[in-house]
Amino acid sequence: MLIKTNTGLRSSEVTDEVIFQERRDSLRLIGGIMALGVAGVAKGGTVDQAASMARQDALAASNERLTREQDIAHYNNYYEFSFYKAPPSELAQAMQVEPWVLEVGGLVENPLTLSIDDLLRLFPPEEQIRRIRCVEGWSGVVPWLGFPLFHLLKKASPLSFGKFVKFTSVMQPETMPNQRDQKMLPWPYVEGLRLDEAMHPLAMLAVGMYGKKLLNQNGAPIRLVIPWKYGFKSIKAIVKIEVTDSLPLTSWNQVAPKDYGFYANVNPEVPHPRWSQATERPLGSAFYSPRRKTELFNGYAEEVAHLYAGMDLRQLF
Ligand code: MTE
């Protein structure tokens, strides 16, 4: 189940031209992600187009709109570049995303050093439509191109005493102004998951969106997408993935532990200390239009609630 059907949006919205335009564009552009330089993958057409169509239909049936690409591409949280939303789309163009090396290590039997081409060859990306919900109260519905994180972790083979996974973003102070000038966040940006969360099929590594390569401002060349958690867990521009035996010290949790918990599961009943999390504003919607009700685990409770059985979600927010 990729998109929930009980969203409460009006059915008139399902015929939104954007959805059908996006569908057509997606299918046409699916080849684009394969043009990342992987000839073998390109030939095979490994993005399953039928599955992609089915997902688009599920979206239409769910009465939810895809967020417009231009909205998700120009309203970004990317603190290495700016603490404002608009500048990253421009500033991130200076980033160096080729060549790129992703290291997978720590408590694993089989450490890996992979280029993006290696990753695409090993794990052909598929289109997955997922909700994103930022801790600040805005949200989106994005057609990502990616593969389940567990495929990569299984290949690295975590050791039995590995309990967590730590993710580290790139250090590129020559292109990222805040890494030079701002100490508000410790650099590099770091995130983490419990190993069982990381092995969940909904935890994805994305290399593209809207049928194309990821834009720099959205996390190129590879980012995490954890749809049931607040957006700050979905770390961009990943260079290192490590299996650890202790809880990783993550950026936001380190600087403001009372505001940003390690788990950061979307939960309308647990307010941020300074604002409610009960509702959200879909990106691109008018400021005067009604806000959408936020759902527990961002609508993915059926899939992920078991990961937190017996946990006090207020305490471990
Ligand atoms: N990853 C890095 N490296 N740096 C960041 O500042 N911001 C996070 C997350 N990943 C961030 C990051 C936050 S707060 C959000 S809401 C999402 O990225 C936003 O992703 P988007 O800009 O693609 O919508």
Side-chain angles (χ1 to χ4, degrees):
M1 186 66 187
L2 300 163
I3 286 284
K4 311 298 292 182
T5 53
N6 57 342
T7 59
L9 291 182
R10 287 187 306 277
S11 61
S12 58
E13 291 178 344
V14 307
T15 52
D16 191 304
E17 203 191 334
V18 173
I19 292 176
F20 296 103
Q21 188 56 44
E22 295 286 359
R23 173 191 294 178
R24 257 200 314 274
D25 289 352
S26 272
L27 294 178
R28 192 161 355 105
L29 292 167
I30 260 155
I33 194 76
M34 298 311 173
L36 297 179
V38 193
V41 176
K43 259 202 226 135
T46 34
V47 172
D48 182 338
Q49 299 191 356
S52 167
M53 281 290 268
R55 286 183 200 107
Q56 298 281 2
D57 288 339
L59 176 75
S62 76
N63 297 351
E64 282 201 77
R65 285 168 182 267
L66 279 189
T67 303
R68 277 192 305 259
E69 185 182 359
Q70 65 183 60
D71 291 325
I72 207 87
H74 292 95
Y75 189 88
N76 299 105
N77 277 334
Y78 208 156
Y79 297 106
E80 286 88 335
F81 292 101
S82 174
F83 292 110
Y84 298 96
K85 312 291 182 211
S89 59
E90 242 175 69
L91 296 173
Q93 302 319 312
M95 233 184 125
Q96 295 298 315
V97 295
E98 276 174 17
W100 195 268
V101 175
L102 175 67
E103 281 179 50
V104 186
L107 302 176
V108 297
E109 242 167 65
N110 180 28
L112 304 165
T113 301
L114 300 165
S115 68
I116 298 298
D117 282 359
D118 294 334
L119 283 163
L120 292 176
R121 210 174 287 118
L122 287 166
F123 313 109
E126 283 193 24
E127 185 166 273
Q128 307 283 355
I129 298 167
R130 301 282 187 248
R131 291 214 186 99
I132 178 168
R133 166 61 158 85
C134 178
V135 73
E136 298 161 346
W138 54 265
S139 64
V141 181
V142 180
W144 301 102
L145 285 166
F147 56 91
L149 170 63
F150 80 84
H151 286 177
L152 178 62
L153 289 172
K154 267 173 87 174
K155 188 158 180 64
S157 192
L159 297 171
S160 59
F161 47 99
K163 295 282 177 279
F164 297 92
V165 186
K166 175 182 174 187
F167 302 85
T168 307
S169 280
V170 72
M171 275 303 283
Q172 218 176 82
E174 62 283 14
T175 69
M176 298 177 151
N178 280 350
Q179 286 189 342
R180 294 194 302 265
D181 312 330
Q182 278 285 347
K183 301 290 170 240
M184 190 191 134
L185 270 184
W187 309 115
Y189 193 102
V190 168
E191 258 310 330
L193 296 170
R194 243 174 28 201
L195 183 57
D196 61 334
E197 297 179 308
M199 296 299 283
H200 191 283
L202 280 178
M204 172 172 43
L205 283 168
V207 292
M209 57 181 211
Y210 297 89
K212 294 174 279 196
K213 283 204 267 194
L214 272 183
L215 299 170
N216 288 358
Q217 63 266 34
N218 292 107
I222 185 160
R223 72 173 293 170
L224 207 57
V225 173
I226 307 294
W228 70 94
K229 292 180 179 280
Y230 291 121
F232 68 87
K233 301 294 289 184
S234 293
I235 181 172
K236 299 174 175 179
I238 302 170
V239 290
K240 206 189 285 177
I241 299 178
E242 294 160 281
V243 176
T244 66
D245 55 3
S246 56
L247 193 103
L249 198 55
T250 56
S251 298
W252 284 107
N253 187 234
Q254 189 180 342
V255 296
K258 294 205 175 90
D259 296 352
Y260 309 107
F262 173 81
Y263 282 94
N265 290 315
V266 174
N267 191 338
E269 301 200 338
V270 177
H272 183 276
R274 295 192 296 283
W275 58 85
S276 161
Q277 293 291 20
T279 63
E280 63 202 44
R281 185 179 72 82
L283 273 190
S285 66
F287 276 96
Y288 50 78
S289 60
R291 290 169 67 90
R292 180 183 189 279
K293 274 196 174 147
T294 291
E295 292 175 77
L296 182 62
F297 299 115
N298 205 20
Y300 299 97
E302 211 176 286
E303 291 88 346
V304 302
H306 68 275
L307 294 173
Y308 310 102
M311 266 174 60
D312 180 344
L313 298 177
R314 281 182 186 276
Q315 206 88 49
L316 295 166
F317 60 97

